[in-house]
Amino acid sequence: MSAAAKTTAVALAVLTLCALHLTLAVDLRFARMAQLIAGAAPQDFADALFVQGALPRLVMAALVGAALGLAGSLMQQLTQNALVSPMTMGVSSGAWLALVLAAIVLPGAVRSEWVALAGAAVAAALVLAVTGARGLVGMQAPLAGMAVNLLFGSMAATAMLLANPYTEHLFLWGAGDLTQTSWEPALWLLPRLLPGVVIAALLIRPLSLLRLGAQAAGGRGMVLWPVALAAALAALHLAAVSVTAVGMIGFIGLVAPNMARLLGARRAGAELWISAGLGAACLIAADVLALALQALLPNIVPTGATAAFTGAVALIWLLRRKLGAQDHAVHALPAGAARVGVMRAILLALACAALGLAALFVGVTQSGWELSFDPMLLSLRWPRVMAAASAGASMALAGCILQRLIRNPLASPDILGMSAGAVAALVGVALITGGSIHAARLPVALAGCAAALALLLWFGRRHSHAPAALALIGIALGAGLDALVRLSMAGGTAETFAILGWMSGSTYRIDAARALGLTGCALIGLVLAALALRPLTLLGAGDGIAIGRGLALAPARRLLMLLAAGVTAGVTAFMGPVSFVGLVGPHLAVLLGARRMQDQLIVAPLAGAALMVLSDWLGRIVLYPTQLPAGSVAAILGGSYFLLLLARRRGQV
């Protein structure tokens, strides 16, 4: 197909999307729409809805989509990496977190694009600090960016939960809602996008030289750092202003530049402007899907959720490409002691016991620190401490199993999307049946975990389950499932906050029965893992050794995967999703010298339990009398460790 034919086809597709968008937004004939566009005065409510609602919404979708497409193209051309974008570099989540904090601390600055730009810059600087300049060319950058996205997203959700009910209005905005009631937001956005567009136009020649390589561009007289700084600032500005205008819209900046190259955009300028046009088309298409779903569902459907779901699918599809050598690189476990030793194991057990006792008896009151043995207070605390310890031990156990089976130190139930699968299944069943999200439905959670794991392994087989690829696929899968969950949370109702509190992994609602049930699940998982010690050891040593020792690979791997899914499902069903503990627990075990499987099955659950008990205790005392969910504190601690783990490979990428 010639370039002219492709351009014509894209133009016709965009016009069709615009017509479909307006048709879904308001019930008017096309002839009347044309009259109103030409300047006819509105005569009734439908006319006014078209002029002040449907048209501004379409224009806003086009502007924001074009801005994100242009920002994504600038990032991809600067880094020569087709997987970077405002979302996969954590820029959008940085801007969003800054706006949420501003809305709580400085309400007058909630719509300030400068606040969003500062947050976006912090996120980009964090990713760059983790990966280094050389790490921007492979999967390391989007992997670090998506980790920042998870970390900042958890922090933003926690902040909104703590500030409830003053942050209820942020839910729909944060989910990426394009609903408009006047032309004011579009008129606010348009002039603020112009600086980024102008800078992009001025960078066309330098970006063309960059396609020859940094050395070749330098040989032709180009100084790299001013170009890189200008392109980065323009991309950050476009993304920050877009988030300020409509909230989180994910993956448009990833999909549009890749589509532009597929359509034959080979020159820098062509890719920039075609990416902008395709970004507008992609967001209009996502909004069309949102409008179509809105006609079927009782609540408002945020466009950000439909864009995130389709974009996550696109990211997984883009990962079909051939990996570079750095993407196949092995992420080694951290260096630690050569062996655990009896004394170190005893000290670890004593430290865990001391931490548990502190969580039970030590707290903060209005008069300061207090050591209390009040039976009534202990009756409220011991279920929380027991549940936190059981959840941490279970997630660390699941992480040990997954890291052994996949031979990937980056594997954990949350990073691989298993926790997101359980959450999606539980939320879906709760919405369909009308039941409470706090009712434990272990079979439902297990089905969701197993389905997510099956999808992950199926998508990852093309790359022979390379560590970075599998982790990025899992994060993308989790983002897609999270988008489906957000469809049910956009209303900002009491049910929304109940789901959000549960999704933060809070122990607040844990009673004695649920604590004992979660402990029972953890003990069953530990016993089954101990019985499977030989298969776990052989599979971790390699398929060849396992076959040589007579192990039936396929059944053993399936059963152990099912065990990891069951343990994760138990935690999610009783307490909600817990992030990063499944990654940190096994790593802490290795740091303490537990390199053999039999040692890890003891030390890793102890480390995971200690991390969760510490998180629950810190959540109670740090902002007293306000309480932070244990899962959110653990996510912040564990997410920071995950970024440090990626930073360890900075000099090797």
Side-chain angles (χ1 to χ4, degrees), residues 347-381:
L347 290 176
L348 175 63
L350 290 176
C352 291
L355 184 60
L357 292 174
L360 280 174
F361 300 113
V362 179
V364 176
T365 65
Q366 293 180 350
S367 57
W369 290 91
E370 181 182 72
L371 181 65
S372 175
F373 299 95
D374 181 23
M376 181 174 295
L377 188 61
L378 292 179
S379 68
L380 297 175
R381 285 181 178 173

Side-chain angles (χ1 to χ4, degrees), residues 145-558:
M146 292 298 279
V148 169
N149 184 58
L150 289 174
L151 178 60
F152 283 9
S154 176
M155 294 170 67
T158 302
M160 287 192 291
L161 187 64
L162 291 175
N164 173 45
Y166 303 106
T167 56
E168 291 186 2
H169 65 287
L170 295 177
F171 275 94
L172 192 56
W173 175 37
D177 180 50
L178 294 179
T179 302
Q180 304 295 310
T181 57
S182 72
W183 284 94
E184 182 180 350
L187 295 176
W188 177 92
L189 177 63
L190 183 58
R192 287 166 173 78
L193 294 179
L194 290 179
V197 175
V198 171
I199 294 175
L202 295 175
L203 288 173
I204 290 177
R205 184 176 182 276
L207 290 175
S208 300
L209 290 177
L210 269 181
R211 291 173 176 253
L212 303 175
Q215 291 183 346
R220 299 195 178 194
M222 189 185 82
V223 182
L224 181 59
W225 73 264
V227 174
L229 181 61
L233 286 177
L236 291 177
H237 174 75
L238 290 169
V241 172
S242 299
V243 173
T244 306
V246 298
M248 290 280 286
I249 301 289
F251 296 109
I252 298 295
L254 172 74
V255 174
N258 282 281
M259 289 178 61
R261 287 188 290 273
L262 288 175
L263 291 173
R266 297 291 179 261
R267 293 178 298 174
E271 182 181 325
L272 285 175
W273 308 130
I274 293 176
S275 296
L278 289 173
C282 288
L283 191 51
I284 292 172
D287 203 30
V288 166
L289 179 58
L291 288 170
L293 290 174
Q294 195 167 302
L296 303 175
L297 300 175
N299 293 330
I300 295 176
V301 176
T303 307
T306 57
F309 177 74
T310 54
V313 174
L315 175 57
I316 294 173
W317 180 79
L318 289 171
L319 286 169
R320 300 183 310 162
R321 69 180 179 88
K322 184 179 179 180
L323 300 183
Q326 72 275 13
D327 298 326
H328 281 288
V330 175
H331 291 251
L333 284 165
R339 56 189 296 271
V340 178
V342 177
M343 185 56 66
R344 185 177 280 113
I346 293 175
L347 290 176
L348 175 63
L350 290 176
C352 291
L355 184 60
L357 292 174
L360 280 174
F361 300 113
V362 179
V364 176
T365 65
Q366 293 180 350
S367 57
W369 290 91
E370 181 182 72
L371 181 65
S372 175
F373 299 95
D374 181 23
M376 181 174 295
L377 188 61
L378 292 179
S379 68
L380 297 175
R381 285 181 178 173
W382 77 257
R384 297 182 58 170
V385 174
M386 176 179 285
S390 300
S394 297
M395 296 303 288
L397 175 64
C400 277
I401 295 172
L402 292 172
Q403 290 179 18
R404 282 279 173 165
L405 291 182
I406 306 175
R407 292 188 285 278
N408 180 358
L410 299 182
S412 72
D414 50 303
I415 291 177
L416 298 185
M418 294 168 59
S419 296
V423 170
L426 288 167
V427 171
V429 170
L431 292 176
I432 293 172
T433 62
S436 170
I437 193 66
H438 298 288
R441 300 182 180 91
L442 186 56
V444 175
L446 179 58
C449 272
L453 181 61
L455 285 173
L456 172 77
L457 297 178
W458 187 75
F459 287 130
R461 75 193 192 287
R462 181 183 181 90
H463 305 304
S464 301
H465 303 109
L470 207 61
L472 191 54
I473 291 171
I475 290 174
L477 183 63
L481 293 171
D482 179 67
L484 293 179
V485 173
R486 278 196 287 140
L487 288 174
S488 64
M489 297 177 60
T493 61
E495 291 78 10
T496 295
F497 279 92
I499 293 175
L500 182 64
W502 171 79
M503 288 181 64
S504 63
S506 175
T507 59
Y508 183 74
R509 291 178 178 268
I510 294 291
D511 55 18
R514 296 172 70 82
L516 292 172
L518 184 52
T519 302
C521 288
L523 291 175
I524 292 173
L526 288 169
V527 170
L528 293 176
L531 295 175
L533 178 60
R534 180 175 180 272
L536 277 171
T537 303
L538 292 176
L539 286 170
D543 290 353
I545 295 176
I547 293 174
R549 296 295 181 91
L551 182 68
L553 286 181
R557 184 171 278 116
R558 281 195 293 267

